[in-house]
Amino acid sequence: MPTRTARTAWDGGFEDGSGQVELTSSGLGTFEMSFPKRSSEDGGGATNPEELIAAAHSSCFTMQLTALLGQAGATVHSVETSADVSLAPDPDGGFRINRIALTVRAEAEGIDADQFKQVAEEAKETCPVSKALDGVDDMTLDATLETV
């Protein structure tokens, strides 16, 4: 499997500086970031590490879920996953990601709601990004199979 690369360029200090994060491997974009915007409620039109982790986690989980559903004999019509990533003070100093809440809604045939929840839980445990985020204290999953 290939290695993927992102690059960040930063000017200034922590609280007064700003930077850009570039999705280097794909070339899909460069996005503004700063600590004041990171800590604002609406994000101030900039991205931040937590949002990028949420994007990585929701996309990885969705791919893993569709693979496992296929292995279980289900036919997947659609999947929508969101990841809410929370940053909190770390008792040891600084900050840490303390909570990730995954929410998935899917339409699939050939699987019942209980089986779907089991497969979704397996996807949460086995997707590579979940494994990388194993140190997060609270990682939850709300999984619902909707009727086709």
Side-chain angles (χ1 to χ4, degrees):
M1 298 296 289
T3 298
R4 303 295 182 207
T5 304
R7 183 184 71 81
T8 299
W10 188 269
D11 295 312
F14 176 66
E15 291 191 26
D16 66 343
S18 64
Q20 300 80 36
V21 60
E22 172 189 86
L23 305 180
T24 310
S25 299
S26 65
L28 289 176
T30 301
F31 304 94
E32 180 186 344
M33 53 190 255
S34 73
F35 183 74
K37 292 179 180 183
R38 179 182 188 181
S39 58
S40 72
E41 195 60 38
D42 67 0
T47 194
N48 55 68
E50 295 75 41
E51 183 176 49
L52 295 170
I53 289 170
H57 202 183
S58 67
S59 61
C60 183
F61 169 84
T62 299
M63 285 189 262
Q64 182 72 349
L65 177 62
T66 59
L68 294 176
L69 287 169
Q71 290 173 11
T75 301
V76 179
H77 295 285
S78 66
V79 177
E80 184 174 314
T81 305
S82 64
D84 296 324
V85 175
S86 299
L87 187 68
D90 186 336
D92 295 330
F95 295 93
R96 69 186 313 261
I97 293 171
N98 69 328
R99 184 169 193 276
I100 298 174
L102 292 168
T103 302
V104 62
R105 302 291 179 260
E107 291 182 357
E109 294 180 69
I111 195 165
D112 67 30
D114 288 337
Q115 292 170 313
F116 175 77
K117 287 184 180 190
Q118 289 175 344
V119 171
E121 189 62 40
E122 182 181 352
K124 181 183 79 122
E125 298 301 322
T126 60
C127 98
V129 173
S130 288
K131 290 177 183 180
L133 297 170
D134 190 46
V136 174
D137 296 330
D138 184 21
M139 191 179 300
T140 63
L141 174 64
D142 174 8
T144 303
L145 179 65
E146 299 177 343
T147 56
V148 178

